[in-house]
Amino acid sequence: MRKIILILFFILSLNIHAQKGSSQFSFFGGYEHFPELWESKGYNIGVEFKHYLNNHIYVLANFHAGINDGSKTTNYTKGDINYNFPLTNSVRDYMLGFGLGGDLLQKNRHKIYMQGTAGIGSSEQYKDGIILSPGGAYDMIKTFEEKSTRFAISVSAGYDYQLTKWLSVGVNYTGWQIGYEYKNSINAKLGIKF
């Protein structure tokens, strides 16, 4: 434990570029993994605001929208007839969070950071299912809808490169927990410092 504290102290004592009182507004977007869906590949977009309390620690607010439009074709035989049903499963996740973050490394134009937020999230899911008609003569597709608003958290680790005094680019890995569902994303980021 003592070694870890010494290493963190050393990293935090390196060259400092973030200034107390400065702020940054960022746009991000990228690939998001939806493990509970038929088609797990989706994408996300969002915005983030950081305000530095000192040279390393900042408060932040972020908004995230995760989007997935998956589909699956179900084939089966009933009697002598082959059935093909295209089924869709779509999700829209939204989160508004507030939290803290810190720069672990600041060296020249490079910055490595970690941050976390807590807030509120909402999820809308639409899932198709095959149901039998009342007489059992034919099958049909019905869309089931589920909407909920729940507690949400996010944790990010990322890297920023300062292009100019006011513009930076970066990448991050973020885990999103909205209610009981965990999703993760890899994002590209564009930041404006003021």
Side-chain angles (χ1 to χ4, degrees), residues 28-34 36-37 40-47 63-69 90-96 121-126 176 178 183-185 187:
F28 63 86
Y31 168 82
E32 185 163 347
H33 181 245
F34 291 78
E36 78 279 3
L37 301 181
S40 62
K41 293 176 235 162
Y43 64 94
N44 77 108
I45 55 174
V47 293
F63 174 78
H64 157 79
I67 300 159
N68 181 297
D69 289 314
S90 65
V91 172
R92 302 287 185 270
D93 284 336
Y94 306 99
M95 178 189 168
L96 178 62
S122 71
S123 184
E124 301 173 5
Q125 182 167 346
Y126 303 92
W176 309 95
I178 299 176
K183 298 160 181 100
N184 51 56
S185 63
N187 303 294

Side-chain angles (χ1 to χ4, degrees), residues 156-170:
S156 297
Y159 166 78
D160 282 347
Y161 180 77
Q162 199 72 36
L163 292 172
T164 67
K165 286 186 177 184
W166 60 273
L167 185 65
S168 66
V169 293

Side-chain angles (χ1 to χ4, degrees), residues 24 41 69 75 83 108 111 118 143 153 160 175 189 192:
Q24 180 177 324
K41 293 176 235 162
D69 289 314
N75 303 307
Y83 291 92
N108 298 325
K111 187 184 298 180
T143 301
I153 59 173
D160 282 347
K189 190 168 101 172
I192 301 166

Side-chain angles (χ1 to χ4, degrees), residues 33-145:
H33 181 245
F34 291 78
E36 78 279 3
L37 301 181
W38 295 324
E39 179 57 55
S40 62
K41 293 176 235 162
Y43 64 94
N44 77 108
I45 55 174
V47 293
E48 173 181 275
F49 173 77
K50 295 180 181 180
H51 179 75
Y52 279 85
L53 302 174
N54 62 34
N55 291 333
H56 292 284
I57 306 299
Y58 54 86
V59 293
L60 76 137
N62 62 4
F63 174 78
H64 157 79
I67 300 159
N68 181 297
D69 289 314
S71 62
K72 172 183 173 181
T73 300
T74 300
N75 303 307
Y76 68 97
T77 303
K78 184 176 177 185
D80 291 332
I81 302 171
N82 290 325
Y83 291 92
N84 293 319
F85 286 98
L87 304 178
T88 60
N89 188 187
S90 65
V91 172
R92 302 287 185 270
D93 284 336
Y94 306 99
M95 178 189 168
L96 178 62
F98 302 91
L100 285 172
D103 294 338
L104 302 177
L105 172 67
Q106 295 173 344
K107 181 94 171 133
N108 298 325
R109 294 176 178 242
H110 307 278
K111 187 184 298 180
I112 295 174
Y113 63 89
M114 287 190 73
Q115 64 191 36
T117 64
I120 192 161
S122 71
S123 184
E124 301 173 5
Q125 182 167 346
Y126 303 92
K127 186 173 187 175
D128 288 345
I130 300 171
I131 59 171
L132 292 174
S133 63
Y138 60 92
D139 298 337
M140 56 191 229
I141 296 175
K142 180 177 179 182
T143 301
F144 299 92
E145 181 180 315

